Amino acid sequence: MRMRYKALWMVLMLTVSLPLFGTTWYIRPDGGTRYSAQVPTGQCDGKADVAYSKKGVNEHCAFNDFRFMWDDQSYGSNAWVMAGGDTVIIRGCAANSNQATPSDPACRIGWDAIWAGQSKFWCLGGSGYAGCFNPPIPSGTATRHTRILGQNYANCAAGNATNHSALTQIFGGFGVGITLNLAGTRYVDVQCLEITEHNGKCGWFGAPARPKGCFPGKDDYAQVGIRTSNKTSNLLLQDVSIHGFVARGIWGPIGGPITMNRVQVNFNGFAGWDFDDQASPPTPDAPGSSITANYVTMEGNGCSEEYPIVHAFPAMSCLDSGTGGFGDSWSGQDSELDSFTCNHCAQLYNTKDGFIGPHTQIKNLLIENSESIGNGGQQWKWVTTPNSTTVFVNNLTIGNCSRLTAPIPGAPNSNYANLGAICRAAGDIFSFSGAANSTVLIANNTTVGYSATMFDLSCQSKNACGSTKYIFRNNIMLGFLNPKYSAGDANVPGLYYLSDPSDSITADHNLYYNLRGSCGSLKGTDTICDDPLFVNEPAKTIKAESELDNFNFQLRKGSPAIGHGIAISGVTTDYYGHTRPNPPTIGASEP
């Protein structure tokens, strides 16, 4: 009997000890070409993390190019050599055209050179020189994810910050449509990668395009970083930087849960993540789709990026919807998301709206410890579904929608902005549309700026929002006057604008200062009408856009906001992670 239990125990242990991942494939600059039945002269099988020995075929060694994973150069292959659940570790690729230096190990996607008269086409999986891309990455399973990893994936971040020098770079070129294709894929992890292009010479949008139009087959550019579809689900993007594309950093709807940890989507010519796939009508997100974003930054979208990058704000040119461009960071479409969670998200200096636009309806929205500054439209903009829950806590906002009209320190030149729709839709700082039977909590936030209105509230169906509670608690709202903001407008911001008669607000323990109307006419109980006394607070009239740069949200000793809030269940820390006492400070920051 004991032998039978022992045998059963060994079987159980073998079952539990099955590998979580399948075959591991390796890409490194000193690897070799891919062996296959169609290419028997290929040098390596791609399954060992070793260099090619410079002799023999089908050796147990790494491939020297990421593109060998789906193209063996037989002009007949059009599928990934790996299976779902496999892992690819990219240490770099052998040098090809337009590397930063001859020793640059970056991995090209798309053509090596112009037109098809080259020895390697590298365009299987697409159609024509303007459509080259890899086939969709094979899906994994819930217990065995497919993984596309940069070589430092196990040590790619310090705390909550990505070590960008540790990222492995892949870049699209010569008109490639998609650099990394995740359309329809499920259970895929992408980690420790920089996904970009080596362009810096041409743009895709504008009338005329700026700095000049991109010519397919001639200019070395890429359109999109990552492609998704409404079947893409259970995707992890972690320690990923997506930047510099002439169109979109990420493009497409989603089909399930998406997790983003320490991701940057910056300086893409049209948008950061554009969920609209341009179908007619746009393909909706699948039911149950959700996004969980932690430490995600969207900056400078709507701007073409310089290459090589040598400036802190590397915008060659910026366009908005008034000059043939766009510029949203997150850009939704007519669809619904089950939930969206943003923790330490940042939307900075995008040429249109900061977050997420008026089309995507969100059932459960949580935005915390996040910031939105200097975007050309609204800083925050969203729509909810009926029976929804919205929680917006511990966030920092500067409503300076015309910031991009003035030079940005660290930009390549002072003439990068070609904008025609700045401060669109009146430039309200917040614009959100509620629905029936919902709750909205706006608490412990700090909002400053000069836009026309701070909070523009509306209702999706006329007179339908009487059952929805808008609760404003423990917030600082500080207005500035910018005489140049709008011709003939000499007013500081208004506080609340209720565009539907059914909208109503419950407000308490807020601090209002320098806003339109007398403090007694503003809504709320236990209201403080006094200067919050921020550290290095600028004058209340803004004479130069740069005056709100690097605004210090910390409060000085003696601020009337300190200790005058009311405790809120679940809000135990401030924006910076400091413990909230009881009673807490009003605003996003404890002293």
Side-chain angles (χ1 to χ4, degrees):
M1 183 66 69
R2 292 182 64 187
M3 291 298 295
R4 181 183 301 173
Y5 282 130
K6 184 176 180 180
L8 182 60
W9 176 255
M10 291 179 65
V11 170
L12 178 60
M13 285 293 92
L14 286 171
T15 302
V16 172
S17 301
L18 287 174
L20 293 176
F21 305 104
T23 301
T24 299
W25 304 80
Y26 297 93
I27 314 296
R28 48 189 289 166
D30 55 5
T33 59
R34 174 179 156 188
Y35 173 89
S36 71
Q38 292 75 32
V39 186
T41 58
Q43 299 162 341
C44 297
D45 64 3
K47 299 178 183 180
D49 191 16
V50 297
Y52 175 53
S53 68
K54 306 299 182 184
K55 59 182 179 181
V57 299
N58 197 23
E59 289 192 7
H60 196 45
C61 53
F63 295 149
N64 67 5
D65 199 296
F66 182 41
R67 292 169 291 187
F68 278 127
M69 291 301 301
W70 63 87
D71 184 358
D72 65 1
Q73 294 292 281
S74 67
Y75 311 108
S77 64
N78 186 11
W80 288 78
V81 65
M82 70 180 187
D86 285 358
T87 294
V88 183
I89 297 178
I90 310 171
R91 300 194 181 283
C93 295
N96 53 62
S97 59
N98 205 18
Q99 307 292 70
T101 66
S103 60
D104 182 5
C107 294
R108 173 182 282 277
I109 308 296
W111 300 98
D112 267 348
I114 301 170
W115 303 115
Q118 54 184 308
S119 60
K120 294 181 178 180
F121 289 87
W122 293 123
C123 200
L124 298 173
S127 56
Y129 55 80
C132 300
F133 56 88
N134 41 82
I137 294 171
S139 296
T141 66
T143 57
R144 184 176 291 182
H145 289 201
T146 300
R147 302 190 300 168
I148 309 296
L149 308 176
Q151 64 175 338
N152 298 308
Y153 70 96
N155 188 27
C156 204
N160 295 310
T162 298
N163 177 4
H164 286 268
S165 66
L167 302 181
T168 300
Q169 185 185 110
I170 64 174
F171 71 100
F174 288 113
V176 69
I178 302 165
T179 305
L180 194 64
N181 191 0
L182 294 169
T185 61
R186 301 175 301 281
Y187 298 105
V188 174
D189 301 346
V190 179
Q191 295 179 236
C192 205
L193 289 181
E194 179 184 10
I195 304 172
T196 187
E197 64 167 11
H198 292 180
N199 176 12
K201 297 179 180 178
C202 67
W204 197 250
F205 296 95
R210 295 173 181 266
K212 73 177 188 66
C214 293
F215 185 78
K218 179 180 179 181
D219 292 307
D220 198 5
Y221 68 96
Q223 298 176 41
V224 174
I226 289 178
R227 183 71 160 95
T228 63
S229 76
N230 70 340
K231 297 185 183 302
T232 302
S233 68
N234 299 97
L235 170 65
L236 170 66
L237 300 177
Q238 182 164 295
D239 296 307
V240 175
S241 175
I242 305 166
H243 63 95
F245 291 94
V246 296
R248 301 158 174 91
I250 307 175
W251 183 32
I254 60 175
I258 307 295
T259 300
M260 305 170 73
N261 296 327
R262 299 182 300 272
V263 174
Q264 293 189 349
V265 188
N266 299 342
F267 296 96
N268 300 287
F270 188 77
W273 187 336
D274 184 3
F275 294 84
D276 186 348
D277 62 359
Q278 301 298 301
S280 186
T283 305
D285 300 311
S289 294
S290 65
I291 293 176
T292 302
N294 300 297
Y295 295 89
V296 173
T297 298
M298 301 266 186
E299 181 177 12
N301 293 292
C303 300
S304 298
E305 186 177 69
E306 67 178 354
Y307 179 79
I309 296 174
V310 295
H311 292 87
F313 192 84
M316 295 187 302
S317 63
C318 296
L319 304 167
D320 62 14
S321 55
T323 53
F326 192 59
D328 274 353
S329 55
W330 307 88
S331 184
Q333 88 285 45
D334 293 326
S335 188
E336 181 177 318
L337 286 176
D338 185 69
S339 67
F340 201 132
T341 297
C342 249
N343 179 34
H344 288 93
C345 290
Q347 295 82 222
L348 310 171
Y349 309 107
N350 302 283
T351 64
K352 195 166 176 274
D353 295 329
F355 182 93
I356 181 175
H359 303 293
T360 294
Q361 300 181 36
I362 304 172
K363 184 176 181 180
N364 297 291
L365 175 64
L366 170 61
I367 301 177
E368 58 182 348
N369 310 313
S370 296
E371 60 182 318
S372 196
I373 298 171
N375 301 290
Q378 281 83 14
Q379 307 306 313
W380 302 98
K381 190 173 188 178
W382 65 78
V383 176
T384 60
T385 67
N387 306 297
S388 65
T389 299
T390 299
V391 177
F392 186 88
V393 295
N394 280 345
N395 299 301
L396 308 176
T397 304
I398 301 180
N400 53 338
C401 53
S402 62
R403 178 63 189 90
L404 288 171
T405 63
I408 296 284
N413 59 72
S414 61
N415 299 311
Y416 60 87
N418 182 36
L419 306 171
I422 204 71
C423 294
R424 60 185 302 276
D428 300 327
I429 298 177
F430 289 78
S431 175
F432 54 91
S433 180
N437 303 312
S438 301
T439 59
V440 179
L441 175 64
I442 311 292
N444 282 107
N445 304 288
T446 299
T447 302
V448 305
Y450 54 69
S451 296
T453 301
M454 286 205 165
F455 296 92
D456 185 348
L457 309 180
S458 62
C459 187
Q460 291 184 55
S461 300
K462 188 174 179 62
N463 292 316
C465 288
S467 57
T468 292
K469 307 299 182 185
Y470 292 95
I471 300 171
F472 287 77
R473 182 167 293 150
N474 294 349
N475 301 287
I476 293 176
M477 293 88 147
L478 171 63
F480 290 92
L481 172 65
N482 183 348
K484 298 180 180 179
Y485 160 60
S486 178
D489 183 1
N491 292 316
V492 293
L495 178 55
Y496 303 117
Y497 178 76
L498 307 181
S499 64
D500 189 89
S502 67
D503 289 329
S504 63
I505 290 172
T506 298
D508 63 86
H509 297 87
N510 297 297
L511 187 155
Y512 308 136
Y513 193 66
N514 207 40
L515 300 173
R516 197 158 59 243
S518 65
C519 189
S521 69
L522 301 176
K523 296 182 181 295
T525 59
D526 296 299
T527 299
I528 296 176
C529 302
D530 203 353
D531 193 328
L533 299 179
F534 291 109
V535 173
N536 298 325
E537 185 178 303
K540 299 304 183 291
T541 298
I542 299 298
K543 297 180 179 179
E545 289 290 341
S546 59
E547 290 180 39
L548 292 178
D549 291 354
N550 304 309
F551 186 91
N552 192 331
F553 288 91
Q554 298 287 342
L555 297 166
R556 301 202 304 264
K557 183 179 180 180
S559 167
I562 296 173
H564 285 89
I566 186 171
I568 299 175
S569 177
V571 184
T572 59
T573 58
D574 71 354
Y575 172 88
Y576 300 99
H578 303 144
T579 300
R580 291 273 188 191
N582 189 4
T585 293
I586 298 172
S589 173
E590 291 290 337

